[in-house]
Amino acid sequence: MYNAKAFAAASDTSPLALTTIPRRAPGESDVQIEILFCGVCHSDLHQVRDEWKESMPTVYPCVPGHEIVGRVTAVGSSVTGFKPGDLAAVGCMVDSDGTCSECKAGQEQFCANFTLTYNFPDAHLGGVTFGGYSDSIVVDERFVLHVPNNLDLAGVAPLLCAGITTYSPMRHWGVTKGKKVGVVGLGGLGHMAVKFAHALGAHVVVFTTSPSKKEDALRLGADEVVISKNADEMEKHVGSFDFILDAVSADHDINAYLNLLRRDGNLTLVGAPEKLSVAPFSLIMGRRSLSGSPIGGIAETQEMLNFCGEQNITADVEVIPIQKINDAYERLLKSDVKYRFSIDMASLKSDS
Ligand SMILES: [Zn+2]
Ligand SMILES: [Zn+2]
């Protein structure tokens, strides 16, 4: 065991502050990573403030962060895929049983016995797992990803959650050249969805409530932008979409979007409003489907990172020192970021 520096919350009302946490010494199959950047996901804020009490109560101190990119500093004796000096990344999961049908199918995100990167029982040290707001982490090789070396690392970090969360459903629902794809909401998830849909060759339409986002949507790769409050604009697209990715977490009328799908079209939710009201005929007419999707498996996450390397895709980030994390959370609540905060972990090293 060794001590790592980290930023942690001591309770649901305390700001994140510098602390020391235990990390395990790398075992046989482990990779030790010096963390260079960690993205700031909205989940971090929910978990730190214990807003998921019912399903995932927070254990304090809580070190969030599951968009991790860094450099390998040590590997265990049985590790074959990484060596010191390699770039490496870690996303939302750090372990799973490896034996169930989901794991065997490369769908570890559905394993009943997975281990999330933070606030999850830690089988090695007891207590809970600590995430990426830290200077280092030790993770089993099976959950460590390779990072293409041509990409800006600050912008790579958010790919590990926001990236795979939008890439995976697009691959599952067959987004390819010639498909018409809608993206609802242009935030951390939405801006990645636009980049991926565009790179996969689709005709991309962004739906937003704010006309001020039009220019940005086009820059990110949208072919059209629809102001969703404008009924006439919406009407023009009825029955025309193969796939719509809905990344909005605020309450909204889902039927307005279901009606834009063509026959057998699918709308996938990656945002989580408190409740949704679905009119059955929005689905029945046109044999449409509504589904949801969480992150992706490890193999698919690697595929996504490789795709980003080939296509030169990273998230649009605002890089912050870790000392600004509490301000960043306040700004996140106001959607005041284009489009993801990425913490430069060099700032943690200089903090004492
Ligand atoms: Zn996340
Ligand atoms: Zn499993």
Side-chain angles (χ1 to χ4, degrees):
M1 228 166 70
Y2 68 100
N3 287 330
K5 275 177 151 182
F7 256 54
S11 78
D12 59 353
T13 52
S14 27
L16 293 158
L18 181 65
T19 188
T20 302
I21 54 164
R23 295 286 193 195
R24 68 179 187 265
E28 239 179 39
S29 62
D30 284 335
V31 176
Q32 183 189 47
I33 300 164
E34 174 196 10
I35 301 175
L36 299 176
F37 292 93
C38 184
V40 178
C41 176
H42 215 112
S43 307
D44 300 351
L45 192 157
H46 287 302
Q47 198 73 67
V48 157
R49 299 190 176 174
D50 206 11
E51 289 167 357
W52 291 334
K53 258 190 206 85
E54 317 284 303
S55 53
M56 277 192 275
T58 306
V59 177
Y60 295 95
C62 174
V63 179
H66 58 205
E67 296 182 336
I68 298 166
V69 59
R71 209 172 273 287
V72 176
T73 44
V75 298
S77 57
S78 72
V79 171
T80 54
F82 293 88
K83 57 180 190 317
D86 287 353
L87 291 174
V90 177
C92 301
M93 303 178 285
V94 289
D95 207 356
S96 72
D97 57 29
T99 56
C100 74
S101 59
E102 300 292 7
C103 286
K104 283 184 177 151
Q107 305 280 342
E108 299 88 353
Q109 75 275 33
F110 301 118
C111 176
N113 301 305
F114 64 18
T115 303
L116 295 180
T117 303
Y118 61 83
N119 196 57
F120 223 76
D122 183 338
H124 299 269
L125 295 182
V128 292
T129 50
F130 295 125
Y133 295 11
S134 172
D135 58 3
S136 81
I137 192 167
V138 177
V139 177
D140 189 283
E141 178 182 23
R142 291 191 300 124
F143 286 80
V144 182
L145 288 308
H146 290 278
V147 178
N149 55 24
N150 59 317
L151 298 175
D152 169 59
L153 295 181
V156 166
L159 299 176
L160 279 304
C161 176
I164 187 61
T165 298
T166 51
Y167 180 85
S168 180
M170 286 199 205
R171 296 285 288 145
H172 180 76
W173 291 99
V175 171
T176 50
K177 200 170 168 54
K179 296 287 168 83
K180 186 173 174 182
V181 170
V183 175
V184 188
L186 197 63
L189 291 170
H191 97 287
M192 285 313 308
V194 173
K195 291 188 185 205
F196 285 136
H198 175 74
L200 289 165
H203 180 86
V204 187
V205 181
V206 166
F207 297 92
T208 176
T209 51
S210 29
S212 64
K213 287 192 175 166
K214 184 166 183 173
E215 213 172 298
D216 237 18
L218 296 172
R219 176 183 63 82
L220 292 165
D223 297 286
E224 295 178 58
V225 180
V226 171
I227 306 306
S228 53
K229 288 179 284 196
N230 184 326
D232 290 344
E233 272 190 64
M234 293 289 279
E235 182 65 29
K236 275 186 224 154
H237 292 274
V238 166
S240 68
F241 281 88
D242 297 285
F243 177 74
I244 296 175
L245 191 86
D246 187 340
V248 174
S249 310
D251 288 334
H252 61 290
D253 178 15
I254 194 78
N255 301 296
Y257 294 103
L258 290 172
N259 289 329
L260 302 187
L261 294 172
R262 60 187 302 156
R263 169 171 58 76
D264 293 325
N266 170 268
L267 187 152
T268 292
L269 300 172
V270 289
E274 254 173 63
K275 53 182 188 305
L276 280 178
S277 172
V278 178
F281 275 110
S282 301
L283 297 174
I284 293 168
M285 304 312 286
R287 198 165 53 190
R288 298 159 174 147
S289 64
L290 168 63
S291 52
S293 184
I295 51 171
I298 293 299
E300 192 175 50
T301 305
Q302 188 62 63
E303 176 194 305
M304 181 265 318
L305 286 169
N306 296 348
F307 182 73
C308 287
E310 287 155 22
Q311 302 280 332
N312 235 318
I313 294 174
T314 53
D316 285 22
V317 293
E318 179 178 336
V319 178
I320 56 164
I322 194 142
Q323 293 78 9
K324 289 271 185 219
I325 188 63
N326 297 299
D327 297 337
Y329 278 10
E330 292 311 310
R331 289 180 53 198
L332 203 56
L333 288 171
K334 293 180 266 180
S335 302
D336 175 25
V337 56
K338 285 188 173 164
Y339 280 89
R340 205 77 157 171
F341 290 110
S342 185
I343 306 167
D344 181 352
M345 222 46 84
S347 61
L348 181 57
K349 287 206 184 76
S350 58
D351 201 324
S352 54

